[in-house]
Tab-separated table of all heavy atoms in Angstrom:
chain	number	residue	atom	x	y	z
A	111	GLY	N	-9.255	9.475	-2.122
A	111	GLY	CA	-7.986	10.170	-2.304
A	111	GLY	C	-6.837	9.213	-2.538
A	111	GLY	O	-5.980	9.443	-3.387
A	112	VAL	N	-6.823	8.109	-1.792
A	112	VAL	CA	-5.770	7.102	-1.961
A	112	VAL	C	-5.862	6.454	-3.340
A	112	VAL	O	-4.851	6.259	-4.021
A	112	VAL	CB	-5.846	6.046	-0.835
A	112	VAL	CG1	-4.903	4.886	-1.106
A	112	VAL	CG2	-5.534	6.681	0.508
A	113	VAL	N	-7.068	6.127	-3.771
A	113	VAL	CA	-7.263	5.513	-5.093
A	113	VAL	C	-6.853	6.494	-6.193
A	113	VAL	O	-6.223	6.097	-7.179
A	113	VAL	CB	-8.725	5.051	-5.274
A	113	VAL	CG1	-9.002	4.622	-6.703
A	113	VAL	CG2	-9.037	3.911	-4.317
A	114	PHE	N	-7.164	7.772	-6.031
A	114	PHE	CA	-6.777	8.794	-7.002
A	114	PHE	C	-5.255	8.859	-7.114
A	114	PHE	O	-4.709	8.879	-8.224
A	114	PHE	CB	-7.349	10.143	-6.570
A	114	PHE	CG	-7.419	11.171	-7.655
A	114	PHE	CD1	-8.555	11.290	-8.432
A	114	PHE	CD2	-6.374	12.051	-7.885
A	114	PHE	CE1	-8.652	12.252	-9.426
A	114	PHE	CE2	-6.448	13.014	-8.870
A	114	PHE	CZ	-7.582	13.112	-9.652
A	115	VAL	N	-4.572	8.875	-5.983
A	115	VAL	CA	-3.106	8.936	-5.987
A	115	VAL	C	-2.516	7.667	-6.595
A	115	VAL	O	-1.572	7.733	-7.391
A	115	VAL	CB	-2.572	9.183	-4.559
A	115	VAL	CG1	-1.076	8.949	-4.481
A	115	VAL	CG2	-2.922	10.590	-4.113
A	116	ARG	N	-3.069	6.513	-6.253
A	116	ARG	CA	-2.572	5.256	-6.836
A	116	ARG	C	-2.727	5.271	-8.351
A	116	ARG	O	-1.829	4.849	-9.076
A	116	ARG	CB	-3.328	4.072	-6.226
A	116	ARG	CG	-2.874	2.733	-6.746
A	116	ARG	CD	-3.629	1.600	-6.112
A	116	ARG	NE	-5.043	1.670	-6.473
A	116	ARG	CZ	-6.013	1.117	-5.765
A	116	ARG	NH1	-5.743	0.486	-4.633
A	116	ARG	NH2	-7.270	1.200	-6.155
A	117	SER	N	-3.836	5.800	-8.826
A	117	SER	CA	-4.053	5.890	-10.271
A	117	SER	C	-3.049	6.835	-10.922
A	117	SER	O	-2.541	6.552	-12.013
A	117	SER	CB	-5.478	6.350	-10.566
A	117	SER	OG	-6.410	5.404	-10.104
A	118	ILE	N	-2.754	7.946	-10.271
A	118	ILE	CA	-1.746	8.865	-10.799
A	118	ILE	C	-0.406	8.160	-10.917
A	118	ILE	O	0.285	8.274	-11.933
A	118	ILE	CB	-1.612	10.125	-9.916
A	118	ILE	CG1	-2.826	11.021	-10.048
A	118	ILE	CG2	-0.353	10.913	-10.278
A	118	ILE	CD1	-2.834	12.210	-9.104
A	119	LEU	N	-0.021	7.403	-9.890
A	119	LEU	CA	1.268	6.719	-9.906
A	119	LEU	C	1.357	5.702	-11.040
A	119	LEU	O	2.374	5.620	-11.739
A	119	LEU	CB	1.522	6.040	-8.558
A	119	LEU	CG	1.640	6.961	-7.352
A	119	LEU	CD1	1.790	6.152	-6.076
A	119	LEU	CD2	2.790	7.935	-7.518
A	120	ILE	N	0.301	4.929	-11.228
A	120	ILE	CA	0.308	3.925	-12.298
A	120	ILE	C	0.378	4.605	-13.653
A	120	ILE	O	1.202	4.253	-14.508
A	120	ILE	CB	-0.933	3.013	-12.197
A	120	ILE	CG1	-0.834	2.134	-10.952
A	120	ILE	CG2	-1.070	2.153	-13.453
A	120	ILE	CD1	-2.075	1.329	-10.651
A	121	TRP	N	-0.481	5.588	-13.882
A	121	TRP	CA	-0.490	6.246	-15.181
A	121	TRP	C	0.758	7.088	-15.413
A	121	TRP	O	1.184	7.254	-16.558
A	121	TRP	CB	-1.761	7.059	-15.362
A	121	TRP	CG	-2.899	6.212	-15.854
A	121	TRP	CD1	-2.828	5.229	-16.801
A	121	TRP	CD2	-4.251	6.267	-15.455
A	121	TRP	NE1	-4.065	4.678	-17.007
A	121	TRP	CE2	-4.967	5.301	-16.186
A	121	TRP	CE3	-4.948	7.050	-14.543
A	121	TRP	CZ2	-6.323	5.083	-16.052
A	121	TRP	CZ3	-6.307	6.832	-14.411
A	121	TRP	CH2	-6.978	5.859	-15.155
A	122	PHE	N	1.386	7.585	-14.360
A	122	PHE	CA	2.648	8.314	-14.527
A	122	PHE	C	3.741	7.358	-14.988
A	122	PHE	O	4.524	7.690	-15.880
A	122	PHE	CB	3.037	9.016	-13.221
A	122	PHE	CG	4.300	9.820	-13.321
A	122	PHE	CD1	4.427	10.819	-14.257
A	122	PHE	CD2	5.359	9.579	-12.461
A	122	PHE	CE1	5.590	11.574	-14.353
A	122	PHE	CE2	6.522	10.329	-12.538
A	122	PHE	CZ	6.644	11.324	-13.490
Side-chain angles (χ1 to χ4, degrees):
V112 171
V113 171
F114 199 91
V115 168
R116 181 179 64 203
S117 296
I118 289 174
L119 297 176
I120 291 172
W121 276 319
F122 182 57

